[in-house]
């Protein structure tokens, strides 16, 4: 990895860990942005982390751009030496794959898609070498995912698959974005899966929908009373396939404000994961199963 530093206008420094996404780049970015925060540099007003990068906003009347750039560069060695370990949580997210609502939407926008003759799942299966949409769905939900960023749209998580790089699913975004995406759609673009926290425009492939709210600005949802956004970077997700009956049952619990996500506290060690991915994933899933 070669860190790249650039100016973003008059008030921002953009720090990019690598040209491609990886957990190593994520952990270095996390450690370095934390180091900048801990340094309490006078003039810094905001630090915004992303998948494998972060951005620092500063007041140029308080600190010169050259000085803030130099201070940030000095902190890189702390990120390289930092522990790549997190105390975090694994969360089960129910997904109704091949649901009627995302299907209706994707059919309305076929002229914007790479393959207008099928569905988003058919296309994703084909380009990833699977014989059927069902086989692709199995690959999508069988192993856990790592939340590397929350944002772009309020509460929207970017999820990176915890498997060997050669086994990672990859699906390009639509050729032209849609003007509509159902709220809580489970989507895919590039190497990231996501959940659309609100209804709106979008370009990710659509695979299904979850009945579980992940963003509540009014904070009326029982598990969102402390904070309106459910996900945070470092969370680990296990997709759980559900059918229409289970979707309707969970939706009724959500509406009654009695639904509680399945969550377990876990430790994630990047070095241990890189040494034994399957073994690490098995332990993560075991923790969720006994929660």
């Amino acid at each position: 990895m070669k860190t790249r530093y650039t100016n973003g206008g008059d008030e921002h420094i953009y720090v990019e860990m690598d040209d491609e996404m990886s957990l190593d780049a994520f952990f270095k970015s996390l450690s370095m942005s934390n180091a900048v925060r801990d340094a309490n540099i006078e003039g810094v007003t905001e630090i915004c982390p992303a998948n494998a990068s972060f951005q620092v906003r500063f007041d140029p009347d308080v600190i010169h751009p050259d000085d803030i750039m130099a201070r940030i560069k000095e902190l890189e060695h702390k990120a390289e030496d930092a522990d790549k370990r997190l105390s975090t949580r694994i969360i089960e997210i129910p997904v109704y794959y091949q649901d009627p609502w995302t299907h209706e939407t994707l059919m309305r926008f076929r002229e914007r898609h790479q393959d207008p003759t099928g569905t988003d799942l058919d296309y994703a299966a084909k380009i990833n070498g699977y014989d059927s949409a069902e086989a692709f769905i199995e690959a999508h939900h069988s192993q856990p995912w790592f939340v590397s960023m929350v944002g772009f749209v309020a509460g929207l998580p970017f999820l990176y698959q915890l498997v060997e790089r050669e086994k990672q699913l990859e699906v390009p975004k639509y050729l032209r974005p849609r003007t509509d995406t159902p709220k809580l759609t489970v989507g895919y673009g590039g190497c990231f899966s996501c959940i659309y926290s609100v209804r709106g425009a979008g370009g990710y492939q659509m695979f299904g929908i979850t009945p579980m709210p992940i963003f509540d600005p009014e904070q009326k949802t029982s598990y969102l009373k402390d904070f309106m956004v459910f996900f945070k970077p470092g969370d680990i997700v296990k997709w759980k396939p559900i059918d229409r009956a289970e979707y309707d049952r969970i939706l009724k619990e959500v509406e009654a404000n009695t639904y509680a996500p399945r969550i377990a506290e876990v430790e994630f060690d990047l070095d241990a994961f890189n040494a034994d991915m399957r073994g690490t994933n098995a332990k993560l899933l075991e923790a969720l199963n006994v929660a």
Side-chain angles (χ1 to χ4, degrees):
M1 286 186 290
K2 181 173 176 56
T3 308
R4 181 165 54 198
Y5 299 84
T6 54
N7 293 103
D10 297 330
E11 299 181 356
H12 297 87
I13 301 292
Y14 179 62
V15 185
E16 188 176 20
M17 300 302 126
D18 204 353
D19 291 332
E20 62 181 17
M21 175 61 192
S22 68
L23 288 180
D24 292 278
F26 165 82
F27 271 90
K28 184 175 180 181
S29 175
L30 178 67
S31 298
M32 195 169 176
S33 60
N34 286 340
V36 173
R37 184 176 290 107
D38 293 343
N40 198 25
I41 302 169
E42 188 176 5
V44 170
T45 60
E46 188 176 3
I47 302 169
C48 182
N51 293 307
S53 62
F54 67 95
Q55 185 166 270
V56 177
R57 185 177 185 184
F58 63 95
D59 184 345
D61 292 330
V62 176
I63 186 168
H64 191 277
D66 292 343
D67 294 334
I68 182 65
M69 179 74 82
R71 290 290 304 277
I72 293 173
K73 287 182 176 180
E74 289 171 358
L75 296 169
E76 185 172 354
H77 72 280
K78 289 191 175 182
E80 293 172 342
D81 297 336
D83 259 353
K84 298 175 182 179
R85 188 178 306 165
L86 283 175
S87 295
T88 186
R89 56 186 184 164
I90 182 168
I91 307 150
E92 183 179 86
I93 305 295
V95 184
Y96 180 15
Y97 289 99
Q98 297 178 302
D99 67 283
W101 307 286
T102 59
H103 180 78
E104 184 277 331
T105 304
L106 67 86
M107 294 308 292
R108 278 194 280 127
F109 293 95
R110 292 327 283 166
E111 81 282 358
R112 305 185 183 210
H113 196 273
Q114 291 89 344
D115 184 2
T117 63
T119 68
D120 291 6
L121 272 167
D122 292 335
Y123 172 71
K126 181 172 65 176
I127 67 170
N128 281 276
Y130 291 94
D131 294 334
S132 65
E134 289 73 21
F136 180 87
I137 289 170
E138 172 70 23
H140 186 261
H141 75 72
S142 61
Q143 296 297 322
W145 296 70
F146 190 92
V147 177
S148 56
M149 172 182 160
V150 179
F152 183 71
V153 174
L156 184 151
F158 286 74
L159 299 111
Y160 184 76
Q161 196 175 25
L162 292 177
V163 295
E164 298 87 344
R165 182 172 290 274
E166 62 272 15
K167 294 182 180 178
Q168 286 181 344
L169 306 173
E170 291 195 21
V171 191
K173 294 188 288 185
Y174 275 43
L175 296 176
R176 288 188 294 132
R178 300 176 303 274
T179 56
D180 189 23
T181 307
K183 179 182 177 181
L184 298 178
T185 289
V186 174
Y188 211 111
C191 67
F192 293 108
S193 199
C194 79
I195 303 172
Y196 282 77
S197 52
V198 297
R199 182 178 182 179
Y204 277 26
Q205 310 285 336
M206 294 183 289
F207 297 163
I209 199 163
T210 177
M212 176 183 155
I214 61 169
F215 174 62
D216 180 6
E218 296 182 349
Q219 295 180 247
K220 293 181 178 179
T221 306
S222 58
Y223 55 87
L224 295 174
K225 289 188 181 298
D226 293 333
F227 191 55
M228 68 180 71
V229 172
F230 179 73
F231 287 107
K232 53 191 174 184
D235 281 342
I236 297 168
V237 165
K238 172 62 174 70
W239 307 112
K240 178 189 177 183
I242 59 174
D243 59 15
R244 177 63 186 268
E246 180 73 356
Y247 176 89
D248 290 341
R249 185 192 66 77
I250 293 173
L251 200 59
K252 287 181 179 178
E253 291 186 11
V254 169
E255 291 169 351
N257 217 9
T258 59
Y259 181 72
R262 288 187 65 202
I263 300 173
E265 302 297 319
V266 293
E267 298 290 322
F268 183 83
D269 186 309
L270 180 60
D271 291 335
F273 173 75
N274 286 335
D276 182 8
M277 294 186 184
R278 291 285 171 172
T280 300
N281 286 350
K283 291 179 181 178
L284 291 171
L285 298 178
E286 182 181 2
L288 185 59
N289 289 333
V290 300

